[in-house]
Amino acid sequence: MTAPRQRKGSKGKDPGSNIQNLKPDCIAEPRQRFATGGFSWWTILCLMTGSIVGISLGLLCCIYVSTLHENDLWFSNIKEVEREISFRTECGLYYSYYKQMLKAPSIQQGLYELIHDNTTESKRTINILQRMNIYQEVFLSILYRILHIQTYLEPIYFYIYTVFALQTVYVIALFITSWLLSDSWLAGALSGVWYILNRVDTTRVEFTISLRENWSIPFFALQVAAITCYLRPQLKPIQQRVVLWLVFVSTFCFCLTWQFNQFVLLVQALIIFTLDCLDFFTAEQVVSLYLMQVFSLLLVWLLQFCNSMILGSLVLSFIVSALFIKHFQTGVKTGGFVIRVGKLALHTLLVLTLTFTINYSAKTILQLKSDEHIFKFIKAKFGFGATRDFDASLYLCEEAFGLLPLDTFERLAGTVLLYPYLCTLSVLFILLLLVALSNLSTNGLGQACREREDRTFSMRPDVAYNLLHTVFFGLLSFSTMRMKYLWTGHMCAFAAFGVCGKEVWSLYLRVLHCNTKTMMRLIRYSVPIVILAFLYYKFWPRLMEEISELREFYDPDTVELMEWIRLKTPKRAVFAGSMQLLAGIKLCTGRVLTNHPHYEDQALRERTRQVYQIYARQSAEEVHKVLSSVGADYIVLEDSICYERRHSRGCRLRDLLDLANGHIMDGPGENEPDLISASHPRFCEAIKTDMPPYSTLFTRVFKNKTFNVYKLKKLKKKNKAENSP
């Protein structure tokens, strides 16, 4: 790999732009006076200080979230079943495979059981390693076995400490990104402090430990840091290769640990495409970054036993299209402004057309429907799809998939993060538009490189990338609240860059006609120090108060249910119920499930909709028939779902089922004219009467204030058929 094209005569003009090593510019300017060879002792001291501060902030974040987790649940003092119940919803499902691997007689047997799993979905044998992103659980279980730490560290602690340790990686990645952008480790310190203080909006790791995003986003932050380093000017060829390897490794780890990797990489590919069109990247940089994404996805595709969802992803189709069109449409960056804009419009249209053509063909050939529910959700969210679709409605009715609440900005403003972020964003976005217009006005790359020497305004490629990164992922967060965790962490790094970097301050000082080195240095040091002092004064007492609050896990009804299932039912008994509860049943008892929360499979989504008829207006015979078809022995009914009040009318689970079945919803309110009244009462309510036909088909075997468990009776006709010769 060769180095990107460099400007003639640029050596020595901008010492802060030489990124052969991290050189904090706030201290790098006097380095010539203290130079002792390639480095000054002052620069080395800054590097060491910055590294220590970055690692310390990462460890502080790790300890902080670990303490919150312990204090909120009294995790060290509760029973094992209570610890496992604390892994709510899909978290419990993922952790159950870690537990399953540890219980296996050997690593080989554990892997075989995962590849030939017949307990996650009744009457089906599925490959868990192909279906789900659980290689991290497999890796941790193997590591726990070979390290011989069983005597002093319980498996569950090894697991949660690893996830919390990834927060250290996350903070260090943000630290490096802001340091690279600003050439000042003070920016890294500010980004780390902001990340910790805005914990409510930057992470939810302390109460959703096993979620895939908590494993993957730290690697995504590392990838952004590596891309930022790669895009800095004047890297030597060997340095480029090393950094590209870091980009590849971090991208691969990100893709391996989260099933939604393809959608995040699609946004990133669009950023690269945009900056390529606007002449911020060299052709080599564009192709290299695209290939790192492709190689990472293909390697994950192999490890996931040729998972068709990856081959049918939009991002692969887009990258193939972009590279193909780029190869054959060679004259895109020539001509005057109007001609170039026209060529770029045609170029974009061709790429998008080819993308959708390739993607449609791939999904047709592969018969891929795994991600169909995601596109249904997107279409329904923006008013282009059927609002009665059960799968889309499940997402639309969850707050996490709604618009970003306005109180998010109040919290971000309270930590003085929002104001420098918006200032940096607005100034640099205007600058990017000016530079882009200037780039498009030049006739070809050669002239562009010559003219950049004499420009009043310019923008480094790494700054341009991070600017569009925060814009694109900010828009994604506005549309879907759950995606804010991809944005807010980088927001901290970007705002810190604005406070400590030269780009924004130089523009302000030019306007004020006082753009001197002394003034620049004074502002770049004093402003972050003042902000850090203010944050310490305002928030340190709050943090101490927060970590001193002690609570305790308390869910006796669920504990009672799990203990009853474990002691009173056969080990191969099949349970039906809500996805969230069944994940806990699998973790705590090891029983067989009819359905589960990992929704990326079309057949499973259809089965879930059928099982959920226990909360719809269906006859006892119909429900019994559906449950028998999926092999269920027991059903667990939850009053919190049957009589749900958390959601408004139209978003309760029973309402979604009524709409999907064409029935009028419960309660006062309008109904669409084509809906009809159901001919049967709601099953979860009627079964409690214990009257025929419910008593004929079901027997209640467990009850407490929250749960009712019923056992399916075998039909006589079925028994006769089985006994006949």
mmCIF file of all heavy atoms in Angstrom, residues 640-674:
data_model
loop_
_atom_site.group_PDB
_atom_site.id
_atom_site.type_symbol
_atom_site.label_atom_id
_atom_site.label_comp_id
_atom_site.label_asym_id
_atom_site.label_seq_id
_atom_site.Cartn_x
_atom_site.Cartn_y
_atom_site.Cartn_z
ATOM 1 N N SER A 640 -49.226 -8.889 33.644
ATOM 2 C CA SER A 640 -48.712 -7.595 33.198
ATOM 3 C C SER A 640 -48.884 -7.396 31.701
ATOM 4 O O SER A 640 -48.876 -6.262 31.218
ATOM 5 C CB SER A 640 -47.232 -7.466 33.559
ATOM 6 O OG SER A 640 -46.478 -8.510 32.957
ATOM 7 N N ILE A 641 -49.062 -8.488 30.946
ATOM 8 C CA ILE A 641 -49.324 -8.395 29.511
ATOM 9 C C ILE A 641 -50.820 -8.471 29.239
ATOM 10 O O ILE A 641 -51.363 -7.694 28.455
ATOM 11 C CB ILE A 641 -48.586 -9.505 28.746
ATOM 12 C CG1 ILE A 641 -47.074 -9.352 28.907
ATOM 13 C CG2 ILE A 641 -48.965 -9.496 27.270
ATOM 14 C CD1 ILE A 641 -46.263 -10.424 28.220
ATOM 15 N N CYS A 642 -51.488 -9.385 29.924
ATOM 16 C CA CYS A 642 -52.923 -9.571 29.697
ATOM 17 C C CYS A 642 -53.704 -8.312 30.060
ATOM 18 O O CYS A 642 -54.666 -7.949 29.380
ATOM 19 C CB CYS A 642 -53.415 -10.769 30.520
ATOM 20 S SG CYS A 642 -55.083 -11.311 30.088
ATOM 21 N N TYR A 643 -53.287 -7.649 31.140
ATOM 22 C CA TYR A 643 -53.978 -6.432 31.590
ATOM 23 C C TYR A 643 -53.047 -5.220 31.480
ATOM 24 O O TYR A 643 -53.053 -4.345 32.340
ATOM 25 C CB TYR A 643 -54.436 -6.593 33.040
ATOM 26 C CG TYR A 643 -55.270 -7.828 33.276
ATOM 27 C CD1 TYR A 643 -54.732 -8.941 33.928
ATOM 28 C CD2 TYR A 643 -56.584 -7.905 32.832
ATOM 29 C CE1 TYR A 643 -55.490 -10.082 34.146
ATOM 30 C CE2 TYR A 643 -57.350 -9.042 33.048
ATOM 31 C CZ TYR A 643 -56.795 -10.122 33.701
ATOM 32 O OH TYR A 643 -57.554 -11.251 33.909
ATOM 33 N N GLU A 644 -52.286 -5.165 30.418
ATOM 34 C CA GLU A 644 -51.232 -4.158 30.285
ATOM 35 C C GLU A 644 -51.771 -2.733 30.319
ATOM 36 O O GLU A 644 -52.783 -2.405 29.709
ATOM 37 C CB GLU A 644 -50.481 -4.366 28.962
ATOM 38 C CG GLU A 644 -49.344 -3.401 28.751
ATOM 39 C CD GLU A 644 -48.690 -3.560 27.392
ATOM 40 O OE1 GLU A 644 -49.114 -4.456 26.629
ATOM 41 O OE2 GLU A 644 -47.766 -2.794 27.107
ATOM 42 N N ARG A 645 -51.033 -1.866 31.034
ATOM 43 C CA ARG A 645 -51.365 -0.449 31.097
ATOM 44 C C ARG A 645 -50.166 0.439 30.769
ATOM 45 O O ARG A 645 -50.305 1.661 30.735
ATOM 46 C CB ARG A 645 -51.872 -0.091 32.502
ATOM 47 C CG ARG A 645 -53.191 -0.785 32.867
ATOM 48 C CD ARG A 645 -53.640 -0.406 34.260
ATOM 49 N NE ARG A 645 -54.889 -1.064 34.631
ATOM 50 C CZ ARG A 645 -55.489 -0.930 35.818
ATOM 51 N NH1 ARG A 645 -54.929 -0.160 36.748
ATOM 52 N NH2 ARG A 645 -56.613 -1.566 36.077
ATOM 53 N N ARG A 646 -49.016 -0.177 30.548
ATOM 54 C CA ARG A 646 -47.802 0.614 30.296
ATOM 55 C C ARG A 646 -47.908 1.389 28.999
ATOM 56 O O ARG A 646 -47.502 2.549 28.925
ATOM 57 C CB ARG A 646 -46.579 -0.318 30.263
ATOM 58 C CG ARG A 646 -45.254 0.414 30.094
ATOM 59 C CD ARG A 646 -44.087 -0.552 30.313
ATOM 60 N NE ARG A 646 -43.997 -1.542 29.256
ATOM 61 C CZ ARG A 646 -43.219 -1.415 28.179
ATOM 62 N NH1 ARG A 646 -42.488 -0.325 28.024
ATOM 63 N NH2 ARG A 646 -43.159 -2.367 27.276
ATOM 64 N N HIS A 647 -48.442 0.754 27.962
ATOM 65 C CA HIS A 647 -48.606 1.420 26.676
ATOM 66 C C HIS A 647 -50.019 1.977 26.551
ATOM 67 O O HIS A 647 -50.951 1.512 27.209
ATOM 68 C CB HIS A 647 -48.339 0.444 25.525
ATOM 69 C CG HIS A 647 -46.909 0.028 25.404
ATOM 70 N ND1 HIS A 647 -46.442 -1.172 25.864
ATOM 71 C CD2 HIS A 647 -45.834 0.667 24.880
ATOM 72 C CE1 HIS A 647 -45.147 -1.282 25.619
ATOM 73 N NE2 HIS A 647 -44.752 -0.174 25.032
ATOM 74 N N SER A 648 -50.161 2.941 25.684
ATOM 75 C CA SER A 648 -51.481 3.512 25.417
ATOM 76 C C SER A 648 -52.274 2.581 24.505
ATOM 77 O O SER A 648 -51.729 1.633 23.922
ATOM 78 C CB SER A 648 -51.333 4.887 24.762
ATOM 79 O OG SER A 648 -50.619 4.772 23.535
ATOM 80 N N ARG A 649 -53.543 2.843 24.385
ATOM 81 C CA ARG A 649 -54.413 2.037 23.518
ATOM 82 C C ARG A 649 -53.894 2.081 22.082
ATOM 83 O O ARG A 649 -53.604 3.138 21.536
ATOM 84 C CB ARG A 649 -55.841 2.575 23.560
ATOM 85 C CG ARG A 649 -56.855 1.728 22.797
ATOM 86 C CD ARG A 649 -58.254 2.290 22.982
ATOM 87 N NE ARG A 649 -59.260 1.444 22.371
ATOM 88 C CZ ARG A 649 -59.702 1.578 21.125
ATOM 89 N NH1 ARG A 649 -59.207 2.550 20.351
ATOM 90 N NH2 ARG A 649 -60.630 0.771 20.635
ATOM 91 N N GLY A 650 -53.791 0.911 21.488
ATOM 92 C CA GLY A 650 -53.251 0.791 20.141
ATOM 93 C C GLY A 650 -51.828 0.276 20.126
ATOM 94 O O GLY A 650 -51.339 -0.162 19.083
ATOM 95 N N CYS A 651 -51.163 0.325 21.301
ATOM 96 C CA CYS A 651 -49.790 -0.161 21.385
ATOM 97 C C CYS A 651 -49.627 -1.272 22.411
ATOM 98 O O CYS A 651 -48.525 -1.783 22.579
ATOM 99 C CB CYS A 651 -48.840 0.982 21.711
ATOM 100 S SG CYS A 651 -48.188 1.811 20.227
ATOM 101 N N ARG A 652 -50.689 -1.609 23.123
ATOM 102 C CA ARG A 652 -50.614 -2.766 24.019
ATOM 103 C C ARG A 652 -50.512 -4.026 23.170
ATOM 104 O O ARG A 652 -51.038 -4.074 22.057
ATOM 105 C CB ARG A 652 -51.857 -2.809 24.903
ATOM 106 C CG ARG A 652 -52.032 -1.585 25.789
ATOM 107 C CD ARG A 652 -53.394 -1.542 26.439
ATOM 108 N NE ARG A 652 -54.475 -1.452 25.460
ATOM 109 C CZ ARG A 652 -55.748 -1.220 25.771
ATOM 110 N NH1 ARG A 652 -56.103 -1.053 27.041
ATOM 111 N NH2 ARG A 652 -56.671 -1.168 24.823
ATOM 112 N N LEU A 653 -49.846 -5.036 23.703
ATOM 113 C CA LEU A 653 -49.657 -6.256 22.921
ATOM 114 C C LEU A 653 -50.986 -6.836 22.480
ATOM 115 O O LEU A 653 -51.135 -7.284 21.339
ATOM 116 C CB LEU A 653 -48.867 -7.286 23.733
ATOM 117 C CG LEU A 653 -48.608 -8.619 23.026
ATOM 118 C CD1 LEU A 653 -47.805 -8.422 21.752
ATOM 119 C CD2 LEU A 653 -47.899 -9.603 23.954
ATOM 120 N N ARG A 654 -51.972 -6.816 23.367
ATOM 121 C CA ARG A 654 -53.278 -7.358 22.983
ATOM 122 C C ARG A 654 -53.913 -6.544 21.861
ATOM 123 O O ARG A 654 -54.635 -7.088 21.011
ATOM 124 C CB ARG A 654 -54.203 -7.431 24.194
ATOM 125 C CG ARG A 654 -54.535 -6.122 24.870
ATOM 126 C CD ARG A 654 -55.480 -6.385 26.048
ATOM 127 N NE ARG A 654 -55.999 -5.188 26.672
ATOM 128 C CZ ARG A 654 -55.437 -4.571 27.697
ATOM 129 N NH1 ARG A 654 -54.304 -5.062 28.208
ATOM 130 N NH2 ARG A 654 -55.978 -3.494 28.222
ATOM 131 N N ASP A 655 -53.638 -5.239 21.817
ATOM 132 C CA ASP A 655 -54.163 -4.411 20.725
ATOM 133 C C ASP A 655 -53.497 -4.757 19.404
ATOM 134 O O ASP A 655 -54.162 -4.815 18.356
ATOM 135 C CB ASP A 655 -53.949 -2.932 21.038
ATOM 136 C CG ASP A 655 -54.718 -2.477 22.268
ATOM 137 O OD1 ASP A 655 -55.731 -3.124 22.594
ATOM 138 O OD2 ASP A 655 -54.304 -1.488 22.902
ATOM 139 N N LEU A 656 -52.189 -4.966 19.442
ATOM 140 C CA LEU A 656 -51.467 -5.318 18.217
ATOM 141 C C LEU A 656 -51.975 -6.635 17.648
ATOM 142 O O LEU A 656 -52.101 -6.790 16.425
ATOM 143 C CB LEU A 656 -49.963 -5.409 18.503
ATOM 144 C CG LEU A 656 -49.285 -4.157 19.076
ATOM 145 C CD1 LEU A 656 -47.789 -4.399 19.220
ATOM 146 C CD2 LEU A 656 -49.549 -2.953 18.194
ATOM 147 N N LEU A 657 -52.259 -7.573 18.537
ATOM 148 C CA LEU A 657 -52.795 -8.865 18.086
ATOM 149 C C LEU A 657 -54.196 -8.701 17.528
ATOM 150 O O LEU A 657 -54.547 -9.315 16.509
ATOM 151 C CB LEU A 657 -52.787 -9.856 19.247
ATOM 152 C CG LEU A 657 -51.389 -10.314 19.706
ATOM 153 C CD1 LEU A 657 -51.470 -10.974 21.073
ATOM 154 C CD2 LEU A 657 -50.781 -11.270 18.684
ATOM 155 N N ASP A 658 -55.022 -7.882 18.188
ATOM 156 C CA ASP A 658 -56.380 -7.650 17.688
ATOM 157 C C ASP A 658 -56.347 -7.024 16.303
ATOM 158 O O ASP A 658 -57.093 -7.435 15.400
ATOM 159 C CB ASP A 658 -57.147 -6.737 18.656
ATOM 160 C CG ASP A 658 -57.511 -7.445 19.951
ATOM 161 O OD1 ASP A 658 -57.494 -8.691 19.965
ATOM 162 O OD2 ASP A 658 -57.807 -6.755 20.941
ATOM 163 N N LEU A 659 -55.483 -6.031 16.107
ATOM 164 C CA LEU A 659 -55.384 -5.378 14.803
ATOM 165 C C LEU A 659 -54.897 -6.350 13.738
ATOM 166 O O LEU A 659 -55.418 -6.367 12.615
ATOM 167 C CB LEU A 659 -54.436 -4.180 14.895
ATOM 168 C CG LEU A 659 -54.936 -2.968 15.677
ATOM 169 C CD1 LEU A 659 -53.822 -1.939 15.838
ATOM 170 C CD2 LEU A 659 -56.140 -2.336 14.991
ATOM 171 N N ALA A 660 -53.892 -7.153 14.082
ATOM 172 C CA ALA A 660 -53.375 -8.130 13.115
ATOM 173 C C ALA A 660 -54.428 -9.167 12.761
ATOM 174 O O ALA A 660 -54.454 -9.675 11.633
ATOM 175 C CB ALA A 660 -52.128 -8.811 13.680
ATOM 176 N N ASN A 661 -55.311 -9.476 13.724
ATOM 177 C CA ASN A 661 -56.376 -10.455 13.484
ATOM 178 C C ASN A 661 -57.643 -9.825 12.921
ATOM 179 O O ASN A 661 -58.612 -10.535 12.662
ATOM 180 C CB ASN A 661 -56.722 -11.184 14.789
ATOM 181 C CG ASN A 661 -55.570 -12.040 15.292
ATOM 182 O OD1 ASN A 661 -54.726 -12.474 14.521
ATOM 183 N ND2 ASN A 661 -55.524 -12.281 16.604
ATOM 184 N N GLY A 662 -57.645 -8.489 12.760
ATOM 185 C CA GLY A 662 -58.820 -7.804 12.222
ATOM 186 C C GLY A 662 -59.925 -7.591 13.227
ATOM 187 O O GLY A 662 -61.085 -7.430 12.845
ATOM 188 N N HIS A 663 -59.581 -7.571 14.524
ATOM 189 C CA HIS A 663 -60.585 -7.425 15.579
ATOM 190 C C HIS A 663 -60.578 -6.022 16.169
ATOM 191 O O HIS A 663 -59.556 -5.329 16.159
ATOM 192 C CB HIS A 663 -60.337 -8.441 16.696
ATOM 193 C CG HIS A 663 -60.496 -9.856 16.265
ATOM 194 N ND1 HIS A 663 -59.903 -10.917 16.928
ATOM 195 C CD2 HIS A 663 -61.168 -10.412 15.213
ATOM 196 C CE1 HIS A 663 -60.214 -12.051 16.323
ATOM 197 N NE2 HIS A 663 -60.968 -11.769 15.275
ATOM 198 N N ILE A 664 -61.710 -5.620 16.718
ATOM 199 C CA ILE A 664 -61.829 -4.339 17.405
ATOM 200 C C ILE A 664 -61.038 -4.395 18.712
ATOM 201 O O ILE A 664 -61.070 -5.388 19.434
ATOM 202 C CB ILE A 664 -63.315 -4.016 17.673
ATOM 203 C CG1 ILE A 664 -64.038 -3.774 16.344
ATOM 204 C CG2 ILE A 664 -63.467 -2.805 18.588
ATOM 205 C CD1 ILE A 664 -65.535 -3.588 16.501
ATOM 206 N N MET A 665 -60.361 -3.299 19.038
ATOM 207 C CA MET A 665 -59.527 -3.247 20.243
ATOM 208 C C MET A 665 -60.377 -3.016 21.488
ATOM 209 O O MET A 665 -61.497 -2.505 21.421
ATOM 210 C CB MET A 665 -58.487 -2.132 20.112
ATOM 211 C CG MET A 665 -57.466 -2.362 19.024
ATOM 212 S SD MET A 665 -56.216 -1.043 18.976
ATOM 213 C CE MET A 665 -57.220 0.321 18.371
ATOM 214 N N ASP A 666 -59.802 -3.367 22.635
ATOM 215 C CA ASP A 666 -60.454 -3.143 23.926
ATOM 216 C C ASP A 666 -60.530 -1.661 24.259
ATOM 217 O O ASP A 666 -59.695 -0.868 23.817
ATOM 218 C CB ASP A 666 -59.672 -3.833 25.052
ATOM 219 C CG ASP A 666 -59.857 -5.340 25.032
ATOM 220 O OD1 ASP A 666 -60.810 -5.798 24.388
ATOM 221 O OD2 ASP A 666 -59.034 -6.044 25.647
ATOM 222 N N GLY A 667 -61.499 -1.313 25.102
ATOM 223 C CA GLY A 667 -61.546 0.009 25.709
ATOM 224 C C GLY A 667 -62.150 1.068 24.818
ATOM 225 O O GLY A 667 -62.378 0.864 23.613
ATOM 226 N N PRO A 668 -62.417 2.238 25.415
ATOM 227 C CA PRO A 668 -63.003 3.343 24.645
ATOM 228 C C PRO A 668 -62.004 3.917 23.660
ATOM 229 O O PRO A 668 -60.806 3.963 23.921
ATOM 230 C CB PRO A 668 -63.355 4.372 25.734
ATOM 231 C CG PRO A 668 -62.426 4.068 26.864
ATOM 232 C CD PRO A 668 -62.220 2.583 26.836
ATOM 233 N N GLY A 669 -62.489 4.346 22.529
ATOM 234 C CA GLY A 669 -61.623 4.900 21.502
ATOM 235 C C GLY A 669 -62.089 4.492 20.124
ATOM 236 O O GLY A 669 -62.970 3.632 19.968
ATOM 237 N N GLU A 670 -61.509 5.117 19.123
ATOM 238 C CA GLU A 670 -61.914 4.854 17.744
ATOM 239 C C GLU A 670 -61.293 3.564 17.224
ATOM 240 O O GLU A 670 -60.214 3.164 17.635
ATOM 241 C CB GLU A 670 -61.501 6.024 16.853
ATOM 242 C CG GLU A 670 -62.205 7.339 17.197
ATOM 243 C CD GLU A 670 -61.811 8.449 16.243
ATOM 244 O OE1 GLU A 670 -60.957 8.194 15.363
ATOM 245 O OE2 GLU A 670 -62.356 9.559 16.387
ATOM 246 N N ASN A 671 -62.009 2.940 16.307
ATOM 247 C CA ASN A 671 -61.521 1.751 15.604
ATOM 248 C C ASN A 671 -61.717 1.957 14.116
ATOM 249 O O ASN A 671 -62.664 2.645 13.690
ATOM 250 C CB ASN A 671 -62.281 0.498 16.040
ATOM 251 C CG ASN A 671 -61.962 0.082 17.460
ATOM 252 O OD1 ASN A 671 -60.927 -0.497 17.734
ATOM 253 N ND2 ASN A 671 -62.863 0.394 18.391
ATOM 254 N N GLU A 672 -60.838 1.396 13.342
ATOM 255 C CA GLU A 672 -60.969 1.504 11.895
ATOM 256 C C GLU A 672 -62.216 0.754 11.435
ATOM 257 O O GLU A 672 -62.585 -0.280 12.015
ATOM 258 C CB GLU A 672 -59.718 0.955 11.212
ATOM 259 C CG GLU A 672 -58.472 1.779 11.531
ATOM 260 C CD GLU A 672 -57.253 1.300 10.771
ATOM 261 O OE1 GLU A 672 -57.425 0.686 9.701
ATOM 262 O OE2 GLU A 672 -56.135 1.538 11.252
ATOM 263 N N PRO A 673 -62.902 1.260 10.408
ATOM 264 C CA PRO A 673 -64.227 0.725 10.037
ATOM 265 C C PRO A 673 -64.241 -0.732 9.593
ATOM 266 O O PRO A 673 -65.275 -1.399 9.697
ATOM 267 C CB PRO A 673 -64.663 1.646 8.888
ATOM 268 C CG PRO A 673 -63.406 2.285 8.387
ATOM 269 C CD PRO A 673 -62.510 2.397 9.565
ATOM 270 N N ASP A 674 -63.123 -1.248 9.107
ATOM 271 C CA ASP A 674 -63.124 -2.622 8.614
ATOM 272 C C ASP A 674 -62.877 -3.655 9.710
ATOM 273 O O ASP A 674 -62.907 -4.854 9.452
ATOM 274 C CB ASP A 674 -62.080 -2.795 7.510
ATOM 275 C CG ASP A 674 -60.672 -2.478 7.989
ATOM 276 O OD1 ASP A 674 -60.534 -1.592 8.848
ATOM 277 O OD2 ASP A 674 -59.728 -3.113 7.501
#
